[in-house]
Amino acid sequence: MGRLAAYSMISATEDFLDVHRLVQAVTRASDPDDPHRRPHDIVRAREAAVACLNDALPTAVDAPDRFSAWRRLIPHIDALAQHADPDSDTALTAYVFCRAGAFLQHQSLNPLATPHLERAGRGFTRHLGARHPNTLTARHHLARAYQDTGELSRAIQLYGHLLHDYEQVRGPGHAETLILRRSLAQALATAGDVGSAIPMLERVLDAQESLLEADHPDALTTRHTLADAYGQIGDLRKAVSQYERVLTVSEEVLGPDHPDTLATRANLAGAHVSTDPDKSIELYERLLNDQERVLGSEHPGTLTTLSSLSRACVVKGELQRAIALCERSLRAREKSLGPGHPDTLLSRSSLGLALSMAGDMAKALPLLQQVLDDCLECLGADHPDTLTARSKLAEGHARAGNAAHAVRTHLHCLRETERVLGTDHPDTATARHNLAVAYTMAGNTARAVPLFEQTLTDRIRILGADHPQTNSVRVTLAKTHASARNHQRALLLFEQAWREAERVLGTEDPGTLSRLRDLATAHLQAGQPTLSIPLYERALKDSTRLLGDDHVQTLGIRSNLATAHQSAGNTREALDGHRHSAAECRRVLGPDHPDTLGALNNLANAHARAGDRSRAIESYERLLTDCRRVFGTDDQRTDLVAANLAALRGHGPTRTDDRP
């Protein structure tokens, strides 16, 4: 080594040896006339390099204490793949590529893993045969890589071929055959075919628990996958129950710091996002601290949790904190993964969406457009992430008030989604729903309603009539009909939505309560306050019991009930109700909260309707001062109060609060 360094053939330090690229290229090229570079010498040198790499491979791809060793080896394995002809690969070369691909896959670096796994599969097939265990393992890893990079049709096709081979070689009840069947079910669920996936997963779980017992890691993984599928169809109670069961056993059997335990905690936190964002944020925060300790701050799993925490903050309405978390995630992913990696693009997209929700459209729209351009360049027009990026850009334009641009972008997104995924995919129904929403925001109800109707039909056919997403579309369609004054159709849909929620979620679920309130509001908007009053009374009773007197839902329903009494001509009940509502809002939310000021506007209006003009004027004057201080002079809420005060003074018509 010293002699080579003296001739500047290599650079040598205590830690590494470095060879100039030109010297590398000459050394690798065989020359029959050179006694040191004859073809068989090059082959022997390459085989020696493969043997050295194989000897250095860590025994496990998922052991955190071996991650640094893997990271030191991967550049050398990449160099071997780059400079060695695939036709020269031996079975040992294929094994090295397979192990490297498995590690990269475990690190969520599937785009880097895929070429190694494809080459390993070809090498094993050539030297060992298509049904050799090593060949099957490499193809299984490859199918999963296709699945994780969004190439679902290739993944499902490869899983199908593999399952047939596994059943022939190892039998239908073998542990590895069951794992493969679980992988196929997971791919089907990812592709939207949850109806086929869930029964398949349930059968696999039964077989694994009979064969391996309930606390075996394979059975735990299947239960975890089944929980994912339950969450995908909106059955969050089943999903949470399954995650909690997996977590209890995983912590006992695998330990609290095992990657599978951490993954279960992440999914449990995610299952709570829509129903209990505070709980979700608490779980994500604890998980993030543990992942930074165990995996490191730049590990893909840690960064995924960071992004998930930001989404939970968005759901809770903590937009500034969400933006800060998105910026932190984006910086880390750009540094560790590069600017064009799918996860980096996802972080950039999440930041753009959070900025748009916070109203910073000057930053949000260019960022969302950049994400779409990057996805088109790096991933291609057909990649699912590209379709999502286009949809988020359209959402951004809608929030910015660019209704026409939002419609055009959502229309393009629907056409691309139909072309790539087909008309029956759930994402296609979502794209159609988003286009309908854009038409509604543009004031084109005539075009929105047929799209909503088609989306509802698709949801019923694909997901079933009682799926939460189906009911959500039913409610949106009902609200669209109500805004277009198609009250009969709206009432029918609201009634169906309430009954479905009551049947699927039960009478004690907040979702059922929301549907009951929607129905009561629809009757009020249809000019039927006497029918809305008993529904509001029931909703108020249920909300007080389920959520408490101080919950914002309870406060809103109390205000709705007072408005219904006012519309029915029940003056005393209306005054008492609005007075109580204003007092409760002031107590719970504070004197300057928008809902408190809205409740005071309703109370002042109730005084005017009751004929107490002087008290109404006095109330409006105080309220106008507060609105100018809180909202400013140009806000539409301030204009509403000013208009009502002017009407009482004889300068215009009275306007009620526009909230039902």
Side-chain angles (χ1 to χ4, degrees):
M1 294 299 170
R3 189 171 184 181
L4 288 171
Y7 281 98
S8 298
M9 302 295 288
I10 66 171
S11 298
T13 71
E14 292 182 358
D15 299 321
F16 65 87
L17 301 174
D18 183 64
V19 184
H20 190 278
R21 291 179 182 273
L22 180 59
V23 178
Q24 290 184 43
V26 172
T27 304
R28 281 192 299 266
S30 62
D31 183 354
D33 297 329
D34 187 335
H36 304 291
R37 293 189 293 121
R38 288 170 295 195
H40 75 274
D41 293 324
I42 301 297
V43 171
R44 288 177 55 195
R46 184 174 59 247
E47 291 176 349
V50 171
C52 287
L53 286 170
N54 179 64
D55 290 343
L57 291 179
T59 55
V61 300
D62 58 353
D65 62 336
R66 306 305 295 154
F67 288 170
S68 59
W70 272 110
R71 293 188 183 108
R72 287 194 298 270
L73 285 174
I74 288 297
H76 297 280
I77 297 172
D78 289 342
L80 174 67
Q82 180 181 355
H83 296 296
D85 188 336
D87 291 338
S88 69
D89 289 351
T90 64
L92 187 61
T93 310
Y95 179 78
V96 169
F97 287 140
C98 185
R99 297 287 292 162
F103 168 73
L104 291 167
Q105 188 173 58
H106 181 268
Q107 298 288 298
S108 301
L109 299 174
N110 286 287
L112 303 179
T114 300
H116 288 319
L117 294 171
E118 289 175 335
R119 188 158 170 176
R122 290 193 297 268
F124 281 141
T125 300
R126 186 168 62 250
H127 291 284
L128 304 178
R131 290 184 173 176
H132 188 277
N134 287 3
T135 309
L136 297 177
T137 297
R139 291 167 64 201
H140 192 174
H141 281 302
L142 177 60
R144 185 53 190 260
Y146 287 148
Q147 178 182 342
D148 290 343
T149 53
E151 298 183 71
L152 296 176
S153 59
R154 295 181 75 179
I156 291 171
Q157 183 180 28
L158 183 51
Y159 278 135
H161 292 318
L162 275 170
L163 183 58
H164 178 265
D165 290 341
Y166 269 73
E167 288 176 338
Q168 295 297 313
V169 174
R170 296 177 179 170
H174 190 277
E176 293 188 19
T177 305
L178 296 175
I179 291 174
L180 182 63
R181 189 173 288 114
R182 178 186 67 209
S183 298
L184 174 58
Q186 190 175 34
L188 290 169
T190 304
D193 190 2
V194 189
S196 299
I198 287 179
M200 188 181 298
L201 289 169
E202 290 172 338
R203 290 194 296 270
V204 170
L205 181 60
D206 289 342
Q208 286 178 324
E209 290 186 337
S210 297
L211 179 68
L212 306 170
E213 298 186 350
D215 61 353
H216 190 278
D218 289 351
L220 289 179
T221 301
T222 301
R223 189 177 294 281
H224 190 283
T225 306
L226 181 59
D228 293 343
Y230 284 138
Q232 190 173 338
I233 65 171
D235 194 340
L236 297 180
R237 283 185 293 186
K238 277 188 178 180
V240 168
S241 174
Q242 296 289 348
Y243 284 136
E244 288 176 340
R245 183 171 175 182
V246 172
L247 182 58
T248 299
V249 179
S250 185
E251 288 178 333
E252 293 176 355
V253 176
L254 303 177
D257 292 342
H258 191 278
D260 290 349
T261 304
L262 298 175
T264 302
R265 289 174 60 189
N267 284 312
L268 177 59
H272 282 291
V273 169
S274 60
T275 57
D276 190 350
D278 287 324
K279 178 71 171 178
S280 176
I281 288 172
E282 177 190 348
L283 292 173
Y284 275 134
E285 288 173 338
R286 293 209 305 262
L287 174 62
L288 184 62
N289 290 333
D290 289 341
Q291 286 179 313
E292 288 176 336
R293 173 177 55 81
V294 176
L295 304 176
S297 59
E298 295 185 357
H299 185 274
T302 305
L303 299 180
T304 297
T305 298
L306 189 63
S307 296
S308 299
L309 176 58
S310 72
R311 285 194 293 273
C313 290
V314 167
V315 173
K316 191 182 176 184
E318 297 180 355
L319 295 178
Q320 293 307 314
R321 185 185 182 196
I323 289 170
L325 290 168
C326 287
E327 290 173 338
R328 177 181 164 191
S329 171
L330 178 58
R331 287 193 299 268
R333 280 176 166 165
E334 285 178 335
K335 178 182 177 182
S336 62
L337 303 177
H341 190 277
D343 288 351
T344 306
L345 299 179
L346 178 61
S347 288
R348 192 174 293 121
S349 177
S350 297
L351 175 58
L353 196 61
L355 287 167
S356 74
M357 295 180 72
D360 191 351
M361 306 312 301
K363 291 182 179 179
L365 289 178
L367 198 58
L368 292 170
Q369 181 66 58
Q370 179 190 345
V371 172
L372 176 58
D373 294 341
D374 290 343
C375 284
L376 288 168
E377 180 180 352
C378 299
L379 305 177
D382 294 353
H383 194 280
D385 288 355
T386 305
L387 302 178
T388 301
R390 195 183 304 280
S391 178
K392 289 184 177 180
L393 175 61
E395 289 179 35
H397 280 296
R399 287 195 179 92
N402 305 330
H405 202 149
V407 166
R408 288 196 300 271
T409 308
H410 274 306
L411 184 59
H412 190 181
C413 188
L414 174 60
R415 290 170 178 166
E416 288 293 286
T417 306
E418 285 180 329
R419 179 182 63 80
V420 175
L421 302 178
T423 57
D424 289 344
H425 195 280
D427 289 354
T428 304
T430 299
R432 187 176 293 109
H433 180 272
N434 291 340
L435 176 59
V437 171
Y439 276 128
T440 301
M441 296 181 67
N444 195 340
T445 308
R447 288 201 172 184
V449 167
L451 289 169
F452 279 132
E453 295 279 9
Q454 181 61 50
T455 302
L456 180 59
T457 301
D458 291 342
R459 293 292 194 209
I460 292 173
R461 184 184 75 255
I462 298 170
L463 302 176
D466 58 355
H467 191 281
Q469 291 184 23
T470 303
N471 218 21
S472 177
V473 174
R474 187 179 285 116
V475 171
T476 304
L477 175 59
K479 291 180 178 178
T480 306
H481 278 298
S483 66
R485 300 187 183 278
N486 301 326
H487 295 301
Q488 186 175 0
R489 174 66 172 152
L491 284 168
L492 176 62
L493 289 165
F494 277 126
E495 178 86 21
Q496 289 178 344
W498 175 44
R499 297 298 182 190
E500 285 295 326
E502 199 171 44
R503 183 173 64 83
V504 175
L505 304 176
T507 58
E508 300 296 302
D509 191 273
T512 305
L513 173 61
S514 296
R515 301 290 79 81
L516 176 59
R517 184 185 181 186
D518 289 337
L519 178 60
T521 301
H523 278 295
L524 183 59
Q525 291 176 333
Q528 301 170 349
T530 55
L531 295 179
S532 71
I533 288 172
L535 295 173
Y536 277 134
E537 289 175 337
R538 176 176 173 179
L540 181 59
K541 181 180 178 182
D542 290 347
S543 186
T544 301
R545 184 180 73 257
L546 295 174
L547 305 175
D549 284 325
D550 295 350
H551 194 277
V552 65
Q553 177 97 309
T554 307
L555 299 176
I557 295 171
R558 182 174 286 111
S559 177
N560 295 155
L561 177 57
T563 300
H565 276 300
Q566 185 167 310
S567 297
N570 304 329
T571 304
R572 182 177 60 80
E573 290 85 349
L575 276 171
D576 290 345
H578 282 307
R579 191 177 291 114
H580 189 188
S581 176
E584 288 295 284
C585 285
R586 180 185 293 274
R587 178 182 65 81
V588 175
L589 304 175
D592 293 343
H593 192 278
D595 287 353
T596 303
L597 299 178
L600 290 170
N601 179 75
N602 291 341
L603 177 58
N605 183 261
H607 282 304
R609 294 289 185 91
D612 194 344
R613 184 171 176 273
S614 62
R615 179 172 290 186
I617 289 175
E618 180 185 351
S619 298
Y620 275 128
E621 287 174 340
R622 289 198 304 269
L623 181 60
L624 183 58
T625 300
D626 290 340
C627 286
R628 285 171 174 165
R629 176 174 52 81
V630 175
F631 302 134
T633 56
D634 296 331
D635 190 89
Q636 62 180 359
R637 291 163 291 190
T638 305
D639 292 341
L640 171 69
V641 175
N644 287 340
L645 178 58
L648 280 174
R649 289 171 172 169
H651 302 300
T654 303
R655 296 159 56 191
T656 60
D657 180 18
D658 57 357
R659 293 180 297 114

